[in-house]
Amino acid sequence: MKSPKDPVDHSRTTRPHAGESMTDTKNMPGLIVIGVALVCFVGALAAFATSHHDTGLAFASMAAAGLVIGMLWLVVEHRRVRGIEERWYAEHPDVHRQRPSS
């Protein structure tokens, strides 16, 4: 069974990381930043299409920075969840280890 601090579902699924982004909301800021980066990317495309190159470069740089920051956030949070999972398995050595889906 999972605890409020453990986003991994150990007992009810064979895919312990399925739905991780829904149960663990600590990665929501990363998803929001990636969404804003996508909006900036569309803005950059529109600016380049209308020959506003300075604005397009500004939007493109914001989109690139947002994408990198958002992806780093997701990687750090996923590593945190994997660490929690490893600790749980260390505390429960008799449980069959499920293969992670990610």
Side-chain angles (χ1 to χ4, degrees):
M1 212 59 194
K2 68 180 185 173
S3 69
K5 295 187 186 253
D6 187 0
V8 179
D9 192 356
H10 300 282
S11 62
R12 294 181 295 180
T13 183
T14 59
R15 307 288 300 251
H17 294 278
E20 178 184 329
S21 62
M22 296 298 164
T23 59
D24 183 29
T25 58
K26 291 186 180 184
N27 59 5
M28 272 306 166
L31 295 173
I32 291 171
V33 169
I34 290 172
V36 171
L38 289 173
V39 170
C40 288
F41 179 72
V42 171
L45 290 177
F48 285 130
T50 57
S51 298
H52 293 93
H53 299 293
D54 293 336
T55 306
L57 285 174
F59 274 130
S61 63
M62 287 189 299
L67 185 64
V68 168
I69 291 169
M71 292 302 285
L72 283 174
W73 188 289
L74 293 180
V75 166
V76 168
E77 286 301 313
H78 184 67
R79 287 179 146 224
R80 182 186 63 82
V81 169
R82 294 289 294 263
I84 291 171
E85 179 183 23
E86 290 299 321
R87 270 184 272 141
W88 189 87
Y89 279 121
E91 293 171 359
H92 301 88
D94 56 332
V95 176
H96 175 66
R97 182 179 284 268
Q98 298 176 354
R99 207 175 87 217
S101 57
S102 57

